[in-house]
């Protein structure tokens, strides 16, 4: 049985949005992690097939001018980490999607829009 490990590295996420525009660029910017292998397969989703990956949430993403989602995977034995990088038409669209998904219970740092 495969185990799923999920964590968010803010620096990695920010660097993907600033630097990466194409799936190939995103793949190239991901770091090598000791003991982990970055799988060679990259999946790309657009508004026509996003439902295949995120099911019921796809309409909300599309309403926020979703352009493309690139999915890549690190593996280590039976463990894996899935990286999904979403691209929207504008930074405001991306922030709108984030704002609709964020928890109202969070406390934020006074950095940027919401650190």
């Amino acid at each position: 049985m495969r185990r799923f490990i999920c964590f968010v590295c803010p620096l990695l996420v920010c660097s993907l949005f600033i630097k990466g525009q194409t799936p190939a660029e995103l793949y190239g910017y991901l770091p090598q992690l000791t003991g982990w292998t970055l799988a060679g397969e990259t999946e790309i989703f657009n508004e026509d097939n996003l439902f295949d990956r995120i099911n019921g949430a796809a309409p909300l993403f599309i309403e926020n001018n979703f352009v493309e989602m690139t999915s890549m995977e690190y593996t280590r034995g039976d463990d894996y980490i899935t990286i999904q990088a979403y691209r929207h038409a504008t930074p405001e669209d991306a922030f709108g999607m984030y704002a609709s998904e964020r928890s109202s219970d969070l406390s934020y740092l006074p950095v940027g829009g919401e650190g």
Side-chain angles (χ1 to χ4, degrees), residues 68-106:
E68 180 177 81
M69 187 265 281
T70 303
S71 179
M72 295 153 280
E73 192 171 275
Y74 284 98
T75 60
R76 180 180 69 186
D78 290 338
D79 297 332
Y80 65 97
I81 301 169
T82 300
I83 308 292
Q84 294 179 338
Y86 291 80
R87 187 161 49 107
H88 290 265
T90 68
E92 292 79 16
D93 294 323
F95 187 82
M97 189 64 232
Y98 157 76
S100 68
E101 294 275 309
R102 70 181 170 212
S103 171
S104 60
D105 297 336
L106 298 176

Side-chain angles (χ1 to χ4, degrees), residues 13-79:
V13 172
C14 290
S15 69
L16 291 177
F17 289 117
I18 292 168
K19 291 182 175 181
Q21 295 299 313
T22 68
E25 288 173 326
L26 290 171
Y27 186 89
Y29 292 127
L30 290 174
Q32 296 298 317
L33 301 176
T34 304
W36 292 84
T37 301
L38 183 56
E41 182 179 342
T42 300
E43 293 181 276
I44 302 166
F45 297 86
N46 57 41
E47 68 177 62
D48 295 330
N49 66 354
L50 183 63
F51 185 84
D52 295 340
R53 177 51 64 104
I54 63 171
N55 202 350
L60 182 59
F61 278 81
I62 293 168
E63 287 174 19
N64 283 280
N65 294 317
F66 166 81
V67 174
E68 180 177 81
M69 187 265 281
T70 303
S71 179
M72 295 153 280
E73 192 171 275
Y74 284 98
T75 60
R76 180 180 69 186
D78 290 338
D79 297 332

Side-chain angles (χ1 to χ4, degrees), residues 109-115:
L109 301 173
V111 177
E114 291 182 351

